[in-house]
Amino acid sequence: MAFGAIGIGIEASLIGLGPTALVTAGETETAAARLLSGFFVAFLLARVVLGVMAHRVPSFALYLAAMAWAALAALVAVLWAPGPAFVALGISCGMFFPGFFVTAARKMGDDPRVTPVILSAGLVGGISMPLVLSALSAGMGERGFFWLLLCLTVPASLAALLALRGMAR
C-alpha cells in the first residue's frame, strides 16, 4: 500500500503543485501552463502504450520503471532543465496507478473489500503528499520541489527494486 500512496501522492503533487514549482524555477506562467499540457500529453501517451503492452510486462515492473523514470526526471529537473523534466514526469504518472493497482489486486485477492482498500491507499497519498510537499518546498529555493521529488523517488525506486521478486509471486 505504501508504494501506491507514494506513486499517487507524487502524481497528485505534480498535477497540483507542478506549475507553481515551474514558475518558482524561472518559467513564465504561460510556459508553465504549456508544460502542464505537455505533462498531460505524456501521461495520456503512457496510458495508451500501457494498453498495448501491459499484458507483456509484470505490473510491478511497470511501477518500478515508472518510479525509476521519475527519479531520473527529477534529477534532470534539479540539475538541468525543470520544464522538459516536468513533461517527462507525465510518463511516470501515467504508469503509477496501473502498476500499483494491478499488483495490489493480484496480491490481495478477489474479496469485494480489496478494491476500496487499494483505492484508499492511493487517496491517502494523493491527499496528504501535496500538503506535505507544499509546506516543505516553500522555503527551499527555486528547485526545492524537484529536490523533494528526487528525495522521494530514489528511495522508492530502490525499495521497489528490492521488493520486485516478492511482488512477482
Side-chain angles (χ1 to χ4, degrees), residues 7-109:
I8 304 308
I10 290 170
E11 181 179 334
S13 297
L14 285 165
I15 292 167
L17 303 173
T20 301
L22 289 168
V23 170
T24 302
E27 298 287 349
T28 66
E29 291 175 7
T30 303
R34 286 189 181 117
L35 290 164
L36 183 61
S37 294
F39 172 92
F40 281 115
V41 168
F43 181 100
L44 177 62
L45 290 174
R47 286 282 173 96
V48 169
V49 169
L50 275 179
V52 175
M53 65 166 265
H55 65 286
R56 296 181 181 153
V57 180
S59 58
F60 196 72
L62 289 172
Y63 179 90
L64 170 58
M67 193 59 70
W69 181 258
L72 179 63
L75 181 63
V76 169
V78 164
L79 297 177
W80 181 56
F86 178 74
V87 173
L89 283 160
I91 296 168
S92 293
C93 290
M95 298 188 331
F96 284 144
F97 182 77
F100 155 67
F101 185 86
V102 172
T103 301
R106 190 185 77 252
K107 296 289 283 179
M108 295 174 69

Side-chain angles (χ1 to χ4, degrees), residues 60-61 64 106-107 159-169:
F60 196 72
L64 170 58
R106 190 185 77 252
K107 296 289 283 179
L161 182 61
L162 292 173
L164 183 60
R165 179 177 283 161
M167 293 295 187
R169 297 181 190 136

Side-chain angles (χ1 to χ4, degrees), residues 87-144:
V87 173
L89 283 160
I91 296 168
S92 293
C93 290
M95 298 188 331
F96 284 144
F97 182 77
F100 155 67
F101 185 86
V102 172
T103 301
R106 190 185 77 252
K107 296 289 283 179
M108 295 174 69
D110 59 0
D111 186 284
R113 295 171 289 186
V114 166
T115 299
V117 169
I118 295 169
L119 294 176
S120 296
L123 287 171
V124 165
I127 292 168
S128 62
M129 193 173 295
L131 294 170
V132 171
L133 292 183
S134 176
L136 290 175
S137 65
M140 290 185 64
E142 68 178 30
R143 296 192 185 180

